[in-house]
Amino acid sequence: MGADGFSKASGFTGNDYMRSETVRDMAKQAYHVIVITESSKFQQVGLVNLLPTHEVSYVVTDQQIPFDSEEYLQSQNVIVKKV
């Protein structure tokens, strides 16, 4: 899934309610949830909650992910892959 934002309090967020609802429904059926998003999204918060951090297995992002976000994700047992 993609994300439009992130916060430690809310987890991953989006800006489109219908898309966010679809993502939540798909995540319920998934064995692993993988978030693919650019690092700039970690400095934004979307309007709608997508998924809490504890429901995400992996994050794929670029090298510019803020250190505190990367550290937080790893503390929540999320594997961060920087490409």
Side-chain angles (χ1 to χ4, degrees):
M1 67 171 237
D4 296 315
F6 175 79
S7 78
K8 292 177 183 177
S10 302
F12 291 91
T13 59
N15 290 326
D16 181 292
Y17 179 78
M18 293 301 287
R19 180 175 153 258
S20 299
E21 190 172 309
T22 301
V23 165
R24 285 190 297 273
D25 288 343
M26 288 173 34
K28 289 178 187 174
Q29 304 300 317
Y31 185 71
H32 291 290
V33 174
I34 302 169
V35 174
I36 302 172
T37 193
E38 51 192 51
S39 62
S40 65
K41 305 298 179 163
F42 288 93
Q43 299 173 352
Q44 303 174 31
V45 179
L47 302 172
V48 182
N49 290 343
L50 283 174
L51 290 173
T53 306
H54 72 270
E55 291 184 17
V56 175
S57 301
Y58 301 90
V59 170
V60 179
T61 190
D62 58 75
Q63 297 286 335
Q64 280 70 46
I65 183 174
F67 179 75
D68 63 323
S69 295
E70 181 179 5
E71 190 174 65
Y72 175 75
L73 291 168
Q74 291 172 338
S75 76
Q76 300 298 304
N77 298 315
V78 177
I79 297 169
V80 178
K81 176 73 174 175
K82 295 185 279 187
V83 294

